[in-house]
Amino acid sequence: AVEAPVEVAPPVAAGGGGGDWTRRDKLLDIEAAAQKLWDDHRAYEADAPDGGGGVADKDKFFVTFPYPYMNGRLHLGHAFSITKSEFAARFARLQGKEVLFPFAFHCTGMPISAAAMKLEKILKNGKQEAPALAEAEEEGTAGDEPAAPGKRVKSKVAAKTGGMDQYDIMLAMGIGKEEIPDFVDPQHWLKYFPPFAVKDLKRMGSAIDWRRSFLTTDSNPYYDAFIRWQFLKLRNKYLENGKRQSIYSIATKQPCADHDRSEGEGVKPQEYTLIKLKVLELPEAWTSVLPSASASVFLVAATLRPETMYGQTNCFVLPEGEYGLYQMSNGEVFVCSKRSAVNMAYQGLGDLRTNADGEDEPVCLLETMGRDLVGLPLKAPLAAFERVYALPMLTISMNKGTGIVTSVPAESPDDYACLKDWKTRENWRTQFSVKEEWCQPYDVVDIMDIPDSEFEGPSAPYIVEKMKIGSHKEKDKLASAKKEVYLKGFYSGVLKVGPYAGQKVSDIKPQIRQDLISSGDAAVYFEPESKVMARSGDECIVALCDQWYLKYGDEEWTNRVRAHVENDFEMFNEPALNNLSHAIGWLGDWACSRTFGLGTKLPWDEQWLIESLSDSTIYMAYYTIAHLLEGGGLTGGPGPGAVKPEQMTEEVFDYIFCVSSEPLASMTLDKDLLDKMRQEFKFWYPVDLRCSGKDLIQNHLTMSLFNHAAVWEDPAYWPRAFFCNGHVMIDSEKMSKSKGNFLTLEESIETYSADATRIVCADSGDTLQDANFSREIAGKTILRLTTLLDWAEDAVSKLPTMRTGEYTFLDKIFQNELSALVFRAHEAYSRMLYSDALRAAWFDMDTLRSQYAILTHGNVHADVIRRLLEVQMVIFSPIAPHFCEHVWQNVLKKDGLVVRARWPTPEGEPSPVLLRQYESLQATLRSFRLELDRLKSPKKEKKGKVAEPPPVLDRAVVFVSKGYKPYQQEILRLLQQVPLDEQNAPLDKDYMRSVRDLESVKALPQNKSKEVMGFASFMMREVQERGPEVLELQLPFDEAQMLQDLSEVIKRQLKIEAFEVADAAQEHPSGGDSKRDAASPGTPQILFLAKEPVVA
């Protein structure tokens, strides 16, 4: 007999700690053997078939993954995303497709150079052997006071590494002290980390064609030539040189793009209007430091709402804030925070000078505290008052804006609450030396109407009073109030004052802003939307940069990309598609050149390097020819065609990549080799699927679409599908070295095996939501895999002794269920729902095998067991390829490789009747067991009486109904008309009203009406669990005959001696009238009997 595997506790070591690692080690041995077998058979190498100059008529699948950055070892986050490409490639190969899954390694950009620079500085200054590791929150920074931009502060990376510096990070990677000095050379990183990545991915069992692998940067002259060609194509139409406001790293003296950042990916420059509030009476200490006696001094405030300046009553400063008087290029002096002054200087508003440390900084004439600014008389542009004053505000953040805040209490809840505090709190005025005349005379100025709103008059006072906000320190309440009024004011507000009175705020805001700038009362100012940290360790600013830009905002370009995504593209889930659609319109101009880091130089302007996102958009095309150009090494070297890098001219690439139709006579490459490379491209392109983490939607993936559209006019060469997943957590927490929940890919394989790692990745999640890798489940997976292997070996050894010949009813049912699982797995793999695929290929398959053994009492059919094992090994192989290859080769003794087998498509669709019978049988047995347990449970003792022992039940009568009662049929017909969603839940949540409104139901007595409503509710619950077919008026099979045929199975399951199937419409000698009445098609009722009937 072949029994189901018995679940036992996993070995202690399976989830970490000490213990017996025998099972894990067995899996590692199996994996090593399988990998050698694949290498010997070159299982994953794929070449385009000879097309005779055209594309061969053969189905292909080209899947790629964004090459990982080589500044460290691959970790579980990489592995989780890579498995999406892995599973897709393996599934496509089982479909009989020619499959190409190549892989490369990214080294372009700042990260490696920045790390090398930091390491060199540490070694130069002398490394302290016992660094104090800061206790920092992973995503946070300490305190409200910012470091000056350009200064190194604790970043997200520092938090993740527990505050370690670059030297400590190298040690934590397992690099010896004697090796660390080598890493001050950026080129050493390129030689050191990629071989480890190759090793780890091979150990993971990745189905990669390694012949096509390469490194980026100009250290690989072939790839360098390819990127130069790409930018020559872009230059024709989509590249422009000029000055743009850019996120900028002072340390590296260049713009800082997304992949150059350790924090703040996706953050763009935010444009403000810098309002200039002129100081009317200068403090004596100020006059001596001014550049001239006539110099004007302004408190400057950054605002997004210049149209509200008509309502100014004062301005606010932070009493404990640090401010300075900064000299501007036009001779004016601005009072603001140092952080904002740095931004202004790099945007051309202010001057820069070199300090004693050799660093450029804004020219500060005098440093002062916010408390010294309180009471300054000011001239506020557009204000109704000739003179306003600076007042304290205790909630100003010096991390945003200038540290100076304009006050418009009519439309800003914060401003109103703060002004009210100074008017009403005499003790506050005394504490902060605020005079009454600075605040009391200044009432709210009504500047706009908001039609069709609840606001009567100024919105801020109304909402503050309504929400009972008692002080400007109530930040959470004020944030809610601001959200309530700001959007309504901007989109619906109508100005009541000034030359634009009567016009909508949203219409005249740009004009008012321009008027302020033209009159000299305001300036244009930028800063990052939120905090951005460069990988070099400095906080970024916004600078006006002379740059090369990709014009992603070009309307015609954007429209072509958008049309492709809307009509010919697959994203697999709607949120991902929405994010991509947004990014297409959001991207705008993109600074694509740098002066610091690694990479390819612009062909026509070699002072510039191409930044790391811009050289990573169409390199998938390079995969198609890399194995013919390069000699197998990652950094190039003549390949099979003995091509020299200088031979790869623009014209050569144009021909290979079908930009031109005929080779030119000036090409020095052999024509056959040229045609072979062209054929490789034509066969494999376009990319059928690209998988990545969700964070690349907003940049890399969107840019890839744009660049394909720029190089190839024909959308037939553009990517066909992207799949994006969330990030992976470990044990429900973000991956963090400092918290101890971090796994490199090598560590995960060593601890759990490659297949266990892959299985848990498959089970972790397939949406944009963050997934969870459970180490406990990984440990248990070791046990489940090895238990399955033990069972397979035992079952195959017993095949000669198993039953053969004709199939029984149970054999047919289980064969049919097996076919259904094959279809379910196919659908799940096709939709990239790998947790569902895993369930069908492993969990449900194991359950099916277990049920088959149980219901047949171990008397299984040899052909069913062999087919089950063979099918499972094929459909499970995309996820656990090593295990399945071992069973295929060494247990089943099959020819060929399981990874190159064909998907076991059944001859026909699974029989719906057999599916219903199996479902009915399982549900019926479950209900019978529950009823038996209820009757056998000890009765509660009644007061003064000894509880009777449960009866010994040895017989049973099952009442089967051939049809529903008339009222039930009417209800079923009604419920059949209820629309359902994808989960079979009713779209109309009030569907029960239709049941209550039936005339036949209204005519019933109240107790019977409740029964009817209960029936309707029960049937809809059954619909959600089992599907709409449960509403059919008749079953598609003879239920009574099925139960009669399976009477021996039922008796064994219930441990009874006698079993009878009876018609519920006929009275029975044993009674059971309530059971007969409750029976309905698909819901038989059982009456258990002892020597005397047990009354239900």
Side-chain angles (χ1 to χ4, degrees):
V2 181
E3 298 293 346
V6 178
E7 292 290 343
V8 296
V12 175
D20 182 3
W21 288 99
T22 305
R23 289 176 178 267
R24 189 277 317 272
D25 292 344
K26 185 173 186 178
L27 292 178
L28 291 177
D29 290 342
I30 285 171
E31 289 165 0
Q35 290 159 18
K36 184 178 184 307
L37 182 68
W38 298 333
D39 285 345
D40 291 345
H41 285 79
R42 302 169 72 175
Y44 306 123
E45 293 182 7
D47 293 298
D50 181 11
V55 176
D57 184 19
K58 193 165 186 180
D59 204 3
K60 62 92 182 178
F61 184 74
F62 182 19
V63 57
T64 63
F65 176 83
Y67 38 30
Y69 203 79
M70 288 291 98
N71 58 346
R73 297 292 293 269
L74 297 181
H75 55 67
L76 196 62
H78 293 114
F80 174 68
S81 294
I82 290 169
T83 59
K84 308 303 182 183
S85 300
E86 250 290 288
F87 300 157
R90 290 181 177 279
F91 174 63
R93 189 172 284 108
L94 295 177
Q95 307 302 303
K97 298 179 181 180
E98 290 294 317
V99 176
L100 177 59
F101 178 25
F103 210 89
F105 305 98
H106 200 198
C107 305
T108 304
M110 277 180 54
I112 288 174
S113 293
M117 181 179 70
K118 287 188 281 187
L119 185 62
E120 183 177 25
K121 187 173 182 179
I122 292 168
L123 293 174
K124 183 178 179 181
N125 294 336
K127 171 61 186 171
Q128 300 299 314
E129 289 300 322
L133 300 184
E135 295 295 329
E137 290 294 328
E138 181 173 352
E139 300 290 342
T141 56
D144 290 331
E145 288 298 314
K151 300 296 184 183
R152 288 168 175 78
V153 298
K154 183 174 294 297
S155 70
K156 182 170 68 174
V157 170
K160 283 185 176 180
T161 56
M164 296 186 289
D165 63 22
Q166 189 63 49
Y167 187 94
D168 299 317
I169 292 170
M170 307 306 282
L171 288 174
M173 289 182 187
I175 299 169
K177 292 182 180 181
E178 67 284 354
E179 294 181 89
I180 290 178
D182 294 337
F183 288 86
V184 300
D185 177 7
Q187 293 298 322
H188 186 69
W189 298 64
L190 279 59
K191 301 170 187 173
Y192 185 84
F193 285 112
F196 281 112
V198 172
K199 175 186 173 185
D200 292 344
L201 287 169
K202 284 185 173 181
R203 287 200 64 192
M204 184 182 168
S206 302
I208 291 169
D209 184 347
W210 290 108
R211 300 172 305 154
R212 300 173 187 260
S213 297
F214 56 86
L215 291 182
T216 66
T217 78
D218 55 2
S219 65
N220 181 346
Y222 296 95
Y223 186 76
D224 187 63
F226 171 77
I227 296 302
R228 291 167 70 89
W229 167 78
Q230 174 191 345
F231 268 73
L232 288 171
K233 299 293 104 180
L234 293 172
R235 188 187 186 189
N236 296 339
K237 194 172 181 180
Y238 299 114
L239 266 173
E240 187 174 280
N241 185 263
K243 288 185 177 293
R244 299 285 194 284
Q245 301 290 352
S246 306
I247 304 294
Y248 186 85
S249 164
I250 294 174
T252 60
K253 296 181 172 58
Q254 63 180 5
C256 185
D258 278 3
H259 281 190
D260 302 327
R261 304 173 188 177
S262 62
E263 182 178 347
E265 200 167 305
V267 173
K268 301 177 79 172
Q270 173 72 64
E271 185 173 3
Y272 291 88
T273 303
L274 198 64
I275 302 298
K276 296 157 66 174
L277 296 99
K278 186 172 183 179
V279 181
L280 298 177
E281 298 174 11
L282 297 177
E284 186 176 342
W286 292 15
T287 56
S288 61
V289 300
L290 296 181
S292 69
S294 61
S296 297
V297 182
F298 300 91
L299 270 62
V300 288
T303 182
L304 297 172
R305 299 291 303 276
E307 74 280 4
T308 66
M309 293 302 100
Y310 294 102
Q312 292 178 91
T313 59
N314 59 281
C315 83
F316 293 116
V317 297
L318 181 67
E320 301 306 314
E322 296 179 357
Y323 297 83
L325 279 67
Y326 292 95
Q327 183 173 314
M328 296 294 112
S329 301
N330 62 0
E332 295 175 341
V333 175
F334 286 180
V335 181
C336 58
S337 65
K338 183 175 182 179
R339 175 187 169 280
S340 59
V342 172
N343 278 274
M344 293 175 201
Y346 277 87
Q347 291 164 32
L349 291 175
D351 296 330
L352 286 167
R353 68 181 176 192
T354 305
N355 63 20
D357 296 326
E359 298 174 337
D360 291 337
E361 63 179 15
V363 178
C364 182
L365 305 174
L366 182 71
E367 293 180 346
T368 187
M369 296 297 294
R371 69 176 77 93
D372 299 323
L373 305 179
V374 173
L376 282 178
L378 308 165
K379 173 63 178 174
L382 303 185
F385 303 99
E386 285 296 320
R387 172 182 295 228
V388 299
Y389 292 91
L391 300 176
M393 179 181 266
L394 308 180
T395 56
I396 291 176
S397 170
M398 300 298 283
N399 289 311
K400 194 75 174 171
T402 64
I404 310 290
V405 178
T406 60
S407 174
V408 184
E411 297 303 321
S412 168
D414 294 84
D415 296 349
Y416 175 74
C418 193
L419 181 60
K420 183 180 176 184
D421 281 340
W422 299 117
K423 283 188 170 195
T424 59
R425 297 176 185 265
E426 184 178 356
N427 60 325
W428 281 28
R429 294 200 299 271
T430 301
Q431 180 182 350
F432 289 93
S433 302
V434 173
K435 296 180 180 180
E436 279 192 64
E437 57 264 34
W438 296 348
C439 56
Q440 290 295 4
Y442 295 91
D443 294 327
V444 172
V445 179
D446 190 3
I447 61 171
M448 75 172 67
D449 283 327
I450 304 179
D452 302 320
S453 73
E454 61 183 302
F455 309 128
E456 296 180 2
S459 62
Y462 175 87
I463 199 70
V464 167
E465 302 303 332
K466 177 183 176 182
M467 295 180 67
K468 299 180 180 178
I469 298 172
S471 164
H472 80 278
K473 292 184 176 182
E474 297 181 31
K475 295 170 71 173
D476 292 341
K477 278 189 174 182
L478 284 166
S480 299
K482 178 179 178 179
K483 187 177 180 181
E484 180 82 14
V485 302
Y486 262 40
L487 289 179
K488 291 181 180 178
F490 178 73
Y491 288 107
S492 304
V494 176
L495 207 61
K496 296 175 67 173
V497 297
Y500 302 104
Q503 298 188 47
K504 288 192 68 174
V505 166
S506 56
D507 295 335
I508 49 84
K509 173 182 176 175
Q511 187 58 54
I512 294 175
R513 180 176 188 266
Q514 188 55 52
D515 290 349
L516 285 164
I517 293 170
S518 299
S519 66
D521 291 319
V524 177
Y525 170 69
F526 291 83
E527 62 179 48
E529 293 169 322
S530 59
K531 184 177 178 180
V532 177
M533 295 298 300
R535 291 184 184 271
S536 51
D538 59 315
E539 182 175 353
C540 292
I541 61 169
V542 171
L544 184 61
C545 299
D546 185 15
Q547 256 288 350
W548 284 96
Y549 291 88
L550 280 162
K551 300 186 293 182
Y552 290 127
D554 181 89
E555 185 175 358
E556 180 269 341
W557 199 10
T558 299
N559 289 340
R560 289 199 297 131
V561 172
R562 189 178 299 282
H564 178 64
V565 168
E566 290 176 352
N567 300 314
D568 302 299
F569 202 71
E570 176 62 69
M571 279 295 283
F572 295 94
N573 73 70
E574 191 172 346
L577 179 60
N578 292 340
N579 289 350
L580 181 65
S581 298
H582 172 74
I584 289 169
W586 165 87
L587 204 53
D589 290 349
W590 186 269
C592 62
S593 55
R594 300 288 181 268
T595 57
F596 174 82
L598 302 174
T600 294
K601 295 179 175 65
L602 275 178
W604 61 89
D605 192 355
E606 294 200 352
Q607 66 173 314
W608 297 104
L609 290 167
I610 298 167
E611 62 91 24
S612 62
L613 278 165
S614 299
D615 82 340
S616 309
T617 54
I618 63 165
Y619 69 88
M620 310 76 156
Y622 185 75
Y623 278 133
T624 65
I625 62 171
H627 62 307
L628 299 174
L629 292 179
E630 303 190 19
L634 294 176
T635 55
V643 178
K644 298 176 181 178
E646 56 268 24
Q647 291 179 285
M648 300 304 294
T649 63
E650 182 179 3
E651 294 77 17
V652 168
F653 279 120
D654 283 351
Y655 178 69
I656 292 171
F657 293 131
C658 299
V659 175
S660 64
S661 57
E662 295 293 335
L664 300 179
S666 60
M667 297 179 187
T668 59
L669 289 181
D670 177 74
K671 179 65 165 58
D672 288 342
L673 179 60
L674 271 174
D675 288 338
K676 182 174 179 59
M677 288 192 282
R678 183 179 171 94
Q679 170 62 13
E680 284 281 336
F681 173 75
K682 291 182 70 175
F683 178 73
W684 292 115
Y685 240 62
V687 174
D688 296 289
L689 175 67
R690 187 159 179 81
C691 301
S692 89
K694 62 183 178 182
D695 51 310
L696 296 189
I697 295 176
Q698 66 188 7
N699 44 55
H700 164 73
L701 294 177
T702 307
M703 292 175 183
S704 180
L705 291 172
F706 272 94
N707 280 263
H708 277 86
V711 174
W712 292 280
E713 286 289 331
D714 187 353
Y717 292 113
W718 304 359
R720 290 176 175 171
F722 293 156
F723 179 87
C724 299
N725 52 262
H727 301 137
V728 68
M729 299 185 290
I730 296 180
D731 296 334
S732 301
E733 290 188 2
K734 288 184 178 180
M735 288 179 62
S736 168
K737 290 186 178 77
S738 63
K739 293 182 179 179
N741 62 324
F742 186 91
L743 281 172
T744 65
L745 178 52
E746 179 188 47
E747 288 168 341
S748 187
I749 293 170
E750 286 288 349
T751 307
Y752 305 112
S753 78
D755 278 349
T757 297
R758 295 168 65 106
I759 287 168
V760 180
C761 284
D763 199 32
S764 295
D766 301 305
T767 69
L768 292 188
Q769 300 298 315
D770 287 349
N772 181 47
F773 185 97
S774 167
R775 283 187 273 209
E776 180 183 1
I777 292 176
K780 290 181 178 179
T781 300
I782 297 172
L783 175 67
R784 288 197 65 161
L785 276 175
T786 51
T787 302
L788 175 56
L789 177 59
D790 292 342
W791 179 87
E793 291 172 343
D794 181 64
V796 170
S797 71
K798 294 177 178 177
L799 281 174
T801 66
M802 292 180 189
R803 175 169 54 87
T804 57
E806 291 187 6
Y807 288 152
T808 65
F809 176 64
L810 284 176
D811 295 337
K812 293 175 183 178
I813 278 185
F814 282 97
Q815 287 271 45
N816 194 66
E817 286 296 312
L818 178 58
S819 296
L821 286 180
V822 172
F823 275 97
R824 277 177 44 201
H826 190 282
E827 181 182 10
Y829 279 121
S830 299
R831 296 172 60 194
M832 297 191 72
L833 298 174
Y834 295 121
S835 58
D836 291 349
L838 178 67
R839 180 170 300 281
W842 192 21
F843 303 143
D844 290 350
M845 194 73 78
D846 281 5
T847 300
L848 182 66
R849 187 183 69 244
S850 174
Q851 287 297 303
Y852 182 50
I854 290 169
L855 294 183
T856 60
H857 203 51
N859 186 23
V860 296
H861 197 290
D863 291 347
V864 176
I865 293 298
R866 175 172 283 280
R867 177 176 178 241
L868 187 149
L869 257 177
E870 291 178 358
V871 165
Q872 184 175 25
M873 290 309 106
V874 175
I875 69 174
F876 191 24
S877 68
I879 297 173
H882 307 89
F883 177 87
C884 294
E885 193 69 74
H886 175 77
V887 174
W888 190 261
Q889 300 286 333
N890 301 301
V891 180
L892 291 169
K893 308 294 185 183
K894 299 286 289 182
D895 294 331
L897 303 175
V898 74
V899 297
R900 285 196 168 274
R902 289 293 175 265
W903 186 265
T905 304
E907 292 182 2
E909 294 277 343
S911 164
V913 174
L914 287 175
L915 290 174
R916 289 285 299 277
Q917 285 182 287
Y918 180 69
E919 179 185 41
S920 176
L921 174 61
Q922 292 288 10
T924 297
L925 287 173
R926 185 165 54 251
S927 69
F928 288 177
R929 284 192 290 266
L930 289 173
E931 176 69 359
L932 184 60
D933 290 344
R934 182 184 72 83
L935 293 173
K936 286 188 172 182
S937 297
K939 306 295 185 203
K940 290 184 179 179
E941 294 186 10
K942 293 184 179 180
K943 192 172 182 180
K945 293 186 177 180
V946 177
E948 296 181 7
V952 177
L953 305 172
D954 61 353
R955 294 174 294 147
V957 178
V958 173
F959 295 107
V960 177
S961 175
K962 296 180 179 179
Y964 288 99
K965 298 178 177 64
Y967 80 85
Q968 292 176 328
Q969 294 181 28
E970 186 176 4
I971 289 172
L972 290 174
R973 291 190 185 95
L974 176 65
L975 295 180
Q976 289 170 3
Q977 307 306 312
V978 176
L980 305 174
D981 62 18
E982 292 182 355
Q983 283 72 46
N984 290 324
L987 291 172
D988 180 8
K989 302 305 178 185
D990 199 26
Y991 71 93
M992 290 294 284
R993 181 185 297 276
S994 301
V995 178
R996 284 193 296 270
D997 290 344
L998 286 172
E999 292 299 326
S1000 57
V1001 174
K1002 290 180 179 179
L1004 292 172
Q1006 186 174 3
N1007 63 334
K1008 196 66 176 176
S1009 177
K1010 287 183 178 180
E1011 180 184 330
V1012 171
M1013 298 304 293
F1015 172 76
S1017 179
F1018 169 77
M1019 293 306 297
M1020 287 307 287
R1021 288 197 300 273
E1022 288 288 285
V1023 167
Q1024 291 188 53
E1025 184 174 334
R1026 296 162 56 191
E1029 59 270 13
V1030 301
L1031 298 177
E1032 295 170 1
L1033 299 185
Q1034 287 187 326
L1035 294 177
F1037 58 90
D1038 188 332
E1039 185 178 22
Q1041 187 61 53
M1042 181 187 77
L1043 294 175
Q1044 188 63 55
D1045 291 344
L1046 295 173
S1047 59
E1048 292 302 316
V1049 173
I1050 296 171
K1051 286 194 291 183
R1052 280 198 304 271
Q1053 288 282 297
L1054 302 178
K1055 296 182 175 59
I1056 56 177
E1057 297 176 5
F1059 176 79
E1060 177 187 355
V1061 179
D1063 187 348
Q1066 305 294 324
E1067 290 187 1
H1068 193 274
S1070 299
D1073 291 346
S1074 62
K1075 297 287 186 182
R1076 292 193 302 109
D1077 187 60
S1080 62
T1083 313
Q1085 300 294 311
I1086 191 165
L1087 176 69
F1088 285 100
L1089 302 169
K1091 291 184 178 178
E1092 298 295 332
V1094 176
V1095 179

